[in-house]
Amino acid sequence: MATLVPLGTASSYGVLANTAVTNTGLTVVNGDLGVSPAGAVTGFPPGTVTGTIHVNDAAAAQAQADLLTGYANALVQPVTATVATELGGTTLTPGVYNSLSGTFGLNGTLTLDAQGNPNAVFIFKTNTTLISGAAGNVNLIGLAQSANVFWQVGSSATLGAGSTIRGSILAFTSITATTGAIVDGRLLALGAAVTLDTNAVTVPALSTCSVVVQPVAGPVVAGQPTSVSAVVTCNGLPVSGASVTFTGGAVPVTVTTNAAGVATGSLTFNSAGPAVITATVTAADTACACTGVASAPLTITVAPQPSCQVVVQPVAGPVVAGQPTSVSAVVTCNGLPVSGASVTFTGGAVPVTVTTNAAGVATGSLTFNSAGPAVITATVTAAGTACACTGVASAPLPITVTPQSGPLSAAPACWRVNLPIPIPHLFVATLTATVTPAQAGVTVTFFVSGLPVGTAVTNAAGVATLNAGLSLLQISASSYTATATVGGVPVQATGTLRPCFPPA
């Protein structure tokens, strides 16, 4: 079913171009005339315009933007039928038609029969050109109106001398009206020029109201509110303050259009499967007869209501034995977060139970006593929600627990007699400390029996080595201590100190 193409502010223009409007002779444009973004208008006079001429101004720019919207709307409307290239000599009823060859020709009379419906819409879509001959003519019967006829042209349109075209031509590139061609409609070019020669172009009077339901954004889920909207226009312009009733959900909803003519409400669909949304104007203060006008039905698919889900999130950073590890899980019902649910994490030394926040996220801390593989599981132990969440468990998340290690470690060392001549110390020992991860340039101070014995600086491998001289008192100690500042934090480590074997 063809629906009215929205032209917005472009609806008042008899002629609209991108680069230029050029005229020869006594052309009459009953309506506005414009060019944008950087074109020129020539030939007026001798041509005349009953409306306003807009040259590269804000109004023309907006009209071009609205024309692009209308062109896109016509382009995507579903095709009713594919017809022959030559339209002359045929009669067509309301619908959307494209060309078998990708182009349309009009060398006779095309009759459009609205079958008694003044709101009936005709759309002709061509990939390339529209060309009418001198005998080309569009005849309207059955209450058909020029305001409801649209020609979406993929490149350019050429109107033969003396031909009569009814409807709005929306050309992607350019339009040429040769001598004496008559247009009961509009010549609107998106990409290039409109060329005129002693023509009569009359913007058709719009006298019908249009209500169009907009596509629904995102999935529609049973039991969940779904935002729906519709646009109400009169004479191609938005209708503000109109009451619109949406039906198709469990309960109809009535809302009011805003300044842009958009009514936005919410419907809930109780069961999964196909459904149809319709918007009907129930009241409108407008020059059009809007009250009682209904949109074309919009068919949607309602997805079934999903069950509760609990998902453990990946653990950030390494998991170290003996150290607390932050764990989190997300709880959702119908794809929406569940707030205030109690979630118990297991897998560590002691289970921990925490509560989800507004985003449905529960965050706790587990400690793993030993290194090796481990598994984290999150189970909802209580939840007030439409889903059956209580008792739902996540898929297990396998992790690897690494052994505990510090940023500074001291290697075992031994002392020996400083031979052959014990000067300046009777005993010596090689003391070694390692910074993990490796970091060069860290100063390490070594102590034996609480007394400093020297400093060393780590190499590229993070190792600091000191050959320390020891006294008789110091060799009686069983350990030594290394201290350093790593990442701005003071740390220390202790290593064993034993006699070397042999000690000399």
Side-chain angles (χ1 to χ4, degrees):
M1 177 180 176
T3 59
L4 198 66
V5 174
L7 293 178
T9 61
S11 63
S12 69
Y13 286 74
V15 176
L16 179 64
N18 179 293
T19 58
V21 176
T22 303
N23 173 61
T24 301
L26 301 177
T27 292
V28 177
V29 177
N30 291 299
D32 293 336
L33 181 147
V35 62
S36 177
V41 174
T42 58
F44 293 90
T48 58
V49 177
T50 62
T52 303
I53 297 178
H54 296 276
V55 181
N56 305 323
D57 60 8
Q62 184 60 53
Q64 275 285 357
D66 291 344
L67 171 58
L68 179 60
T69 300
Y71 184 92
N73 177 279
L75 186 65
V76 301
Q77 290 209 31
V79 172
T80 303
T82 298
V83 296
T85 298
E86 177 54 45
L87 294 173
T90 62
T91 298
L92 295 174
T93 54
V96 180
Y97 299 95
N98 65 2
S99 168
L100 183 65
S101 65
T103 182
F104 275 129
L106 181 61
N107 293 287
T109 298
L110 166 65
T111 300
L112 302 181
D113 184 1
Q115 300 178 320
N117 179 8
N119 299 324
V121 176
F122 300 81
I123 298 176
F124 294 90
K125 300 164 57 167
T126 167
N127 292 336
T128 55
T129 59
L130 166 66
I131 301 174
S132 71
N137 178 57
V138 178
N139 185 36
L140 304 180
I141 64 173
L143 298 183
Q145 299 187 63
S146 296
N148 298 333
V149 180
F150 300 90
W151 303 83
Q152 178 262 308
V153 180
S155 59
S156 299
T158 301
L159 309 183
S163 61
T164 299
I165 299 296
R166 302 184 191 277
S168 298
I169 298 177
L170 286 58
F172 191 76
T173 307
S174 63
I175 302 172
T176 299
T178 55
T179 307
I182 298 172
V183 179
D184 181 15
R186 305 175 182 87
L187 302 179
L188 310 175
L190 273 170
V194 175
T195 303
L196 306 169
D197 184 358
T198 317
N199 309 118
V201 180
T202 302
V203 175
L206 299 177
S207 59
T208 57
C209 183
S210 171
V211 186
V212 180
V213 177
Q214 304 301 288
V216 175
V220 181
V221 180
Q224 292 185 16
T226 297
S227 179
V228 292
S229 64
V231 179
V232 181
T233 57
C234 169
N235 297 338
L237 299 177
V239 177
S240 174
S243 296
V244 177
T245 299
F246 293 94
T247 56
V251 178
V253 60
T254 299
V255 289
T256 303
T257 56
N258 60 17
V262 178
T264 302
S266 177
L267 292 177
T268 300
F269 304 87
N270 288 343
S271 57
V276 173
I277 302 172
T278 303
T280 303
V281 180
T282 53
D285 182 13
T286 171
C288 291
C290 273
T291 301
V293 174
S295 69
L298 175 69
T299 302
I300 60 170
T301 300
V302 182
Q305 191 176 67
S307 59
C308 182
Q309 282 192 319
V310 186
V311 179
V312 178
Q313 304 300 289
V315 175
V319 180
V320 180
Q323 294 184 8
T325 297
S326 178
V327 292
S328 65
V330 179
V331 182
T332 56
C333 168
N334 299 340
L336 300 176
V338 177
S339 174
S342 297
V343 177
T344 299
F345 292 94
T346 56
V350 178
V352 61
T353 299
V354 289
T355 303
T356 56
N357 61 17
V361 178
T363 302
S365 178
L366 291 178
T367 300
F368 303 86
N369 288 344
S370 57
V375 173
I376 301 173
T377 303
T379 304
V380 180
T381 52
T385 171
C387 288
C389 274
T390 301
V392 173
S394 70
L397 176 69
I399 60 169
T400 300
V401 183
T402 59
Q404 188 175 27
S405 61
L408 185 68
S409 59
C414 64
W415 57 265
R416 63 185 183 280
V417 179
N418 190 15
L419 295 177
I421 300 174
I423 297 176
H425 302 287
L426 181 61
F427 306 97
V428 293
T430 301
L431 309 180
T432 305
T434 303
V435 174
T436 304
Q439 182 178 340
V442 177
T443 300
V444 180
T445 303
F446 295 87
F447 297 82
V448 179
S449 295
L451 300 174
V453 295
T455 62
V457 177
T458 57
N459 59 19
V463 178
T465 303
L466 175 70
N467 291 317
L470 305 179
S471 66
L472 182 63
L473 173 64
Q474 288 172 318
I475 66 171
S476 64
S478 61
S479 64
Y480 72 97
T481 301
T483 66
T485 299
V486 179
V489 179
V491 293
Q492 71 176 34
T494 301
T496 59
L497 181 63
R498 297 284 188 265
C500 295
F501 187 83

